[in-house]
Amino acid sequence: MSKVYLEVSLAPDRLLGHVKENGNVYRSDVGLDDKIGHVHLKSGKVYARRLGADKKVGHVDLDNGRVYATRVGPDKYVGRVKEDGTMHRDKSLAPDDYVGKVNPFISFAHSAAAMLLLVLPALETQAYNAK
């Protein structure tokens, strides 16, 4: 099991959840952890858990760790994951932002699932609450 952390400036990183070896992703809440999705380990496709069929939210290039979000039309490049467990969000015309980490690193597929299902939604919530 790998723990997933959101980067917090000048403070300890915040635990968001964990990814199990089988590819299931869980959000850490008070009480029981909530399964929110999974990654298909051979293809790198990431799915959010829904009532009925799960929804594909993105995929990872298993050779280099580039992460893409599913959109209408071509998928959007959103960042990359590295073999040291760090996650970096794409920032156009600037160096990518460090946004979180997975500890310990298992694979690009596990890290990308954590990024798409836990870290990026947490960043969107922070940005929304800051307005």
Side-chain angles (χ1 to χ4, degrees):
M1 177 178 71
S2 296
K3 293 184 179 182
V4 181
Y5 297 92
L6 175 68
E7 186 271 333
V8 179
S9 297
L10 304 172
D13 290 348
R14 189 173 101 205
L15 177 67
L16 296 177
H18 63 275
V19 181
K20 291 197 173 182
E21 289 79 9
N22 65 3
N24 289 334
V25 180
Y26 296 84
R27 178 180 23 245
S28 291
D29 291 322
V30 176
L32 298 175
D33 290 345
D34 181 29
K35 181 180 174 186
I36 60 170
H38 69 278
V39 60
H40 186 263
L41 299 175
K42 292 184 180 179
S43 68
K45 294 178 182 176
V46 179
Y47 298 89
R49 186 174 184 194
R50 303 289 170 141
L51 286 173
D54 290 346
K55 178 182 177 186
K56 181 181 173 196
V57 295
H59 70 277
V60 61
D61 186 331
L62 296 173
D63 295 325
N64 59 26
R66 293 174 60 88
V67 180
Y68 299 87
T70 299
R71 304 278 190 235
V72 175
D75 289 349
K76 179 182 177 189
Y77 172 70
V78 293
R80 61 182 160 54
V81 292
K82 293 184 173 182
E83 290 180 350
D84 62 359
T86 59
M87 301 174 208
H88 302 268
R89 182 172 53 176
D90 178 50
K91 195 171 182 183
S92 60
L93 302 174
D96 292 348
D97 287 337
Y98 166 73
V99 293
K101 66 183 174 190
V102 174
N103 188 20
F105 174 83
I106 299 173
S107 73
F108 287 138
H110 291 85
S111 296
M115 182 176 184
L116 287 168
L117 295 172
L118 291 169
V119 174
L120 293 180
L123 290 171
E124 290 173 7
T125 301
Q126 278 183 348
Y128 179 78
N129 291 336
K131 290 182 181 181

